[in-house]
Amino acid sequence: MFSTMLSRIISTSTTRASTTLRSNLVANLSSQRWASTLVLSEPLEEGGVTPGQTQSIITAAQSFGQPVELLVVGADPPTQIPNGVSKVHHVPLKDRLAESVALAVEQVASESDASVILGASTKFGSTVIPRAAALLDVSPITDILEIQDENTFVRPMYAGSVLGKVAIKDPTKRKVLSIRPTSFDKAPLTEVGDIQTHSDIAPYEGAEWVGESVSRSDRPDLQSATTVVSGGRGIKSGENFVILEQLADKLGAAVGASRAAVDAGFCPNDWQVGQTGKVVAPDLYIAAGISGAIQHLSGMKDSKCIVAINTDPEAPIFQVADYGVQADLFVAVPELTEKL
């Protein structure tokens, strides 16, 4: 009887050991199947230079400890790429429909066995990343501020008033993520090496790219500028924005605005800073006539130095400002411009 019982124990232990070994082998094979982290580039700047937002995403991508590959969708290949990129994929599509770019992401990610697909939390990335995630049959995690480990991320909630920690339950599945560029340093640029061209990827057939109208300015791009001068409802009219533009020109700064100023028609939509606009983190942010609604603060509170100019001492903007000036902006801003 004892020998029979011992045989059953040995048999059961052997079966469990075999099951554990098989599970570990499957897990190891699954992890080995993944080859890289794929980063979707923002549209290239003039001269084929990779934009600053993508430089920051490359830095974030290196947190996963895998070779980092860059996907560029557009007519021309890049001439300069962030340092740390092991391979460049170029899909020569002339259109930039979000659906076409998402198809390119899905196909290149599948071909390169990418376990992580990253994009920027910008207007471009926010239209492409969810579509690419749907094609890859995974749920995206968006607007990530911090990567704690390969499966745990921190992202803002409720317009940035709360930071939530999000964990992925199934680490064997692909991860599709969008990263807030202002939360990571920019990887330095270097000359591009070999480029793999994917000329067989076709655009989305359900819509047609007609064209685009790009506004040109001598001022720096709002999201990459080191100094930003923004105006709010307190500027009172679009004509009065010239006061802020004069200060911006003296500082070599970009010009931004709150949603209230944009909705009032004082300035164009692409100047909007905030939850539904652009997220910025310059070295210096000057807010003139902006009360500081939480939606605006979520788009600029990571700025290194914030200067607020407002007549209302109770304005919420003063709670995040490093320097507060309780004064009429129509007096304070021209005086500041004159002294520069």
Side-chain angles (χ1 to χ4, degrees), residues 63-64 146-154 165-168 175 177:
S63 304
F64 292 94
E146 180 186 347
I147 300 173
Q148 294 195 336
D149 59 48
E150 61 181 2
N151 295 307
T152 310
F153 313 96
V154 176
K165 185 184 293 185
V166 182
I168 294 177
K175 306 173 185 69
L177 317 170

Side-chain angles (χ1 to χ4, degrees), residues 104-337:
V105 172
E106 186 264 338
Q107 292 188 48
V108 173
S110 298
E111 291 175 14
S112 61
D113 285 337
S115 62
V116 185
I117 295 92
L118 299 180
S121 293
T122 58
K123 294 297 183 184
F124 176 76
S126 296
T127 58
V128 175
I129 290 299
R131 288 176 167 86
L135 292 173
L136 292 166
D137 195 28
V138 296
S139 297
I141 300 176
T142 59
D143 206 18
I144 292 170
L145 301 175
E146 180 186 347
I147 300 173
Q148 294 195 336
D149 59 48
E150 61 181 2
N151 295 307
T152 310
F153 313 96
V154 176
R155 64 181 303 274
M157 299 179 179
Y158 305 109
S161 58
V162 174
L163 294 181
K165 185 184 293 185
V166 182
I168 294 177
K169 287 186 177 180
D170 186 358
T172 63
K173 295 191 71 173
R174 278 193 174 96
K175 306 173 185 69
V176 181
L177 317 170
S178 70
I179 308 291
R180 184 175 289 192
T182 54
S183 298
F184 295 86
D185 295 331
K186 296 178 182 178
L189 291 172
T190 185
E191 297 300 317
V192 67
D194 293 334
I195 300 177
Q196 180 178 349
T197 302
H198 300 261
S199 54
D200 57 330
I201 297 178
Y204 176 70
E205 296 180 352
E208 179 184 359
W209 176 263
V210 177
E212 64 180 350
S213 177
V214 181
S215 58
R216 300 292 181 183
S217 174
D218 294 332
R219 297 192 184 96
D221 175 72
L222 181 58
Q223 287 188 286
S224 59
T226 57
T227 305
V228 174
V229 178
S230 284
R233 195 194 306 273
I235 201 73
K236 296 182 180 179
S237 72
E239 290 75 16
N240 289 335
F241 253 92
V242 69
I243 299 173
L244 301 183
E245 293 180 68
Q246 290 171 348
L247 175 59
D249 291 340
K250 279 287 187 76
L251 294 170
V255 178
S258 67
R259 179 173 179 173
V262 172
D263 288 349
F266 296 167
C267 55
N269 181 266
D270 60 355
W271 286 12
Q272 184 176 327
V273 174
Q275 183 184 15
T276 54
K278 295 179 178 178
V279 176
V280 301
D283 295 335
L284 174 62
Y285 187 89
I286 299 177
I290 295 176
S291 62
I294 190 170
Q295 291 84 359
H296 184 77
L297 297 183
S298 68
M300 46 67 69
K301 65 182 181 181
D302 291 330
S303 304
K304 292 181 176 61
C305 181
I306 300 172
V307 177
I309 303 172
N310 203 298
T311 55
D312 181 8
E314 302 299 324
I317 190 72
F318 286 127
Q319 297 176 12
V320 299
D322 297 284
Y323 299 95
V325 180
Q326 186 185 342
D328 186 340
L329 71 88
F330 295 103
V331 175
V333 174
E335 184 177 346
L336 179 57
T337 304

Side-chain angles (χ1 to χ4, degrees), residues 74-117:
D76 299 316
T79 57
Q80 285 189 313
I81 59 172
N83 190 28
V85 173
S86 63
K87 188 175 185 179
V88 176
H89 301 272
H90 176 227
V91 180
L93 296 180
K94 293 183 180 180
D95 72 54
R96 286 214 290 266
L97 282 173
E99 292 81 1
S100 296
V101 179
L103 283 171
V105 172
E106 186 264 338
Q107 292 188 48
V108 173
S110 298
E111 291 175 14
S112 61
D113 285 337
S115 62
V116 185
I117 295 92

